[in-house]
Amino acid sequence: GAGVSQSPSNKVTEKGKDVELRCDPISGHTALYWYRQRLGQGLEFLIYFQGNSAPDKSGLPSDRFSAERTGESVSTLTIQRTQQEDSAVYLCASSLGPGVQETQYFGPGTRLLVL
Amino acid sequence: SQQGEEDPQALSIQEGENATMNCSYKTSINNLQWYRQNSGRGLVHLILIRSNEREKHSGRLRVTLDTSKKSSSLLITASRAADTASYFCATEGSGANSKLTFGKGITLSVRP
């Protein structure tokens, strides 16, 4: 079936504007993850959803970042009042469940550039 | 903070040679996973090794795990130019949280 999809694939915005990034997980996957990857770096965990609930928001870097998930499907990551340091690739992943040893399937990411 | 630390940071080999990449971590884990990322694309899961396993194979990939040393290695045998990518190890902690913690990655270049 279809993999994880993300949109937009690229986003250029001006400092101070809000942006919304979308993730469509694999159908039937109850767990959904957001990560941020700065240039040349590994992935930073942002937030994790189990169903529509977010039991772990520990990675959100500031209150400008928020995320929601509806219908145990689509998730939106919103960054308000964007700053230049928010420039990165934002990756979404989904897995069958939150249990241990579940493979995470990644989307292609959204490249965000804040000017 | 990043749990997994890979080494070397960059590796360049000739096609046909074997590539060995290492990962060290600091805290107890449930499992360790290796991912590949081609330039500008999402990550692809390669292999998962559980904390009670010592070695696992998948095609040309061989992963070892030494929990006493808190380290893992990924061996790619008979490398191909198409193996050129960044490789990340990720650890899943032993707590209730199933969060994956990634290292900074190793850049592998395989010269044809």
Side-chain angles (χ1 to χ4, degrees), chain A residues 1-14:
Chain A
V4 178
S5 61
Q6 293 185 245
S7 61
S9 54
N10 294 281
K11 177 71 177 179
V12 180
T13 190
E14 293 178 349

Side-chain angles (χ1 to χ4, degrees), chain A residues 37 42 45 56 98 100-101 111, chain B residues 30 37 40 50 97-99 103:
Chain A
Q37 185 179 27
F45 169 82
D56 190 347
V100 298
Q101 302 161 25
R111 291 183 180 277
Chain B
N30 281 324
Q37 184 178 38
R50 298 179 178 86
N97 192 335
S98 66
K99 177 171 59 181

